Amino acid sequence: TVFLVAMATAARSDDLSKLSCEAPFLRERKSPPSFVLLPTDLRKQSRSSHLSEDMVVAKFSGDRLIDPFRTLKLYLKRVDQLRGSVKSLFVTYKSGEKSAPVAQTIARWLVETIQFAYKSSHKNLEKVSGHSTRAMSTLWALFNGASIESILKAADWSSTNVFAKHYLKKVETERSEFCQAALKPTTS
């Protein structure tokens, strides 16, 4: 559930750790089906000149097994009686105690999920971090036709500079390699 919410919102681990299961921080919309999430504390980019947008977990029209809206709705129902007094959206269970996860715990969950997926598909995995979902979701959205404006809004970026500088680096390198290879004369 955490992984799908991270992918659907391009949220940082720290932002995910600040989510609550209570109104007004969690609202379900019927049309279009979605959850609107608002962190209980300031996000990294919050400042007087920039108020962060709500995070939206929308219903995915593809495979229902990876629908973040459906998954979050099921998670909320299943965890409701187990959460006790914990008001955090996500709950940790350690030695029988329930608590709100810190950003590092959520980052670890994300890394473990990515590592498991790669291992299950017998693929090699380069360096991965809790921030990897942010890079994957924004790049995947771009390559699948999402507008730059929608990506900036979801990721809470005020300009394309951060996106280009930190997330499009590998793409630029690969394109440069392609260009060199495409124009290089053959040696036959």
Side-chain angles (χ1 to χ4, degrees):
T1 303
V2 175
F3 176 78
L4 292 175
V5 170
M7 289 294 289
T9 61
R12 296 172 182 86
S13 302
D14 186 58
D15 296 335
L16 296 170
S17 73
K18 295 174 183 175
L19 296 176
S20 172
C21 66
E22 295 190 309
F25 303 106
L26 172 70
R27 299 183 312 273
E28 183 177 354
R29 290 193 305 213
K30 300 295 180 199
S31 182
S34 58
F35 284 106
V36 179
L37 311 171
L38 182 65
T40 58
D41 201 356
L42 294 176
R43 294 171 75 179
K44 180 181 176 185
Q45 298 296 84
S46 298
R47 55 192 175 284
S48 60
S49 62
H50 175 77
L51 293 176
S52 296
E53 297 281 339
D54 293 346
M55 291 181 255
V56 177
V57 178
K59 183 168 180 56
F60 178 57
S61 59
D63 185 347
R64 64 189 290 256
L65 293 177
I66 59 169
D67 176 0
F69 173 77
R70 177 183 169 272
T71 304
L72 184 55
K73 194 168 189 152
L74 287 170
Y75 173 82
L76 289 167
K77 283 181 184 174
R78 289 181 180 164
V79 174
D80 186 50
Q81 293 180 352
L82 302 173
R83 74 172 53 252
S85 62
V86 178
K87 300 305 177 196
S88 169
L89 180 61
F90 301 111
V91 181
T92 62
Y93 299 93
K94 188 175 183 181
S95 304
E97 293 187 28
K98 300 164 236 171
S99 64
V102 295
Q104 292 81 1
T105 300
I106 290 178
R108 189 184 78 247
W109 291 344
L110 295 173
V111 167
E112 289 171 355
T113 301
I114 295 167
Q115 289 172 334
F116 177 79
Y118 272 81
K119 188 175 182 178
S120 296
S121 61
H122 307 289
K123 294 187 177 183
N124 292 328
L125 178 64
E126 293 181 20
K127 181 181 172 191
V128 64
S129 71
H131 215 67
S132 295
T133 53
R134 192 163 162 83
M136 285 189 298
S137 65
T138 55
L139 285 172
W140 199 249
L142 178 67
F143 294 141
N144 282 306
S147 69
I148 291 289
E149 292 77 22
S150 69
I151 293 168
L152 295 178
K153 190 173 185 176
D156 195 31
W157 291 319
S158 55
S159 76
T160 57
N161 294 344
V162 173
F163 183 50
K165 181 179 176 183
H166 297 288
Y167 299 99
L168 293 178
K169 264 195 285 191
K170 187 173 181 179
V171 174
E172 291 169 358
T173 302
E174 288 171 356
R175 286 188 179 166
S176 176
E177 288 173 5
F178 170 81
C179 181
Q180 296 301 315
L183 297 175
K184 187 176 182 178
T186 60
T187 57
S188 53

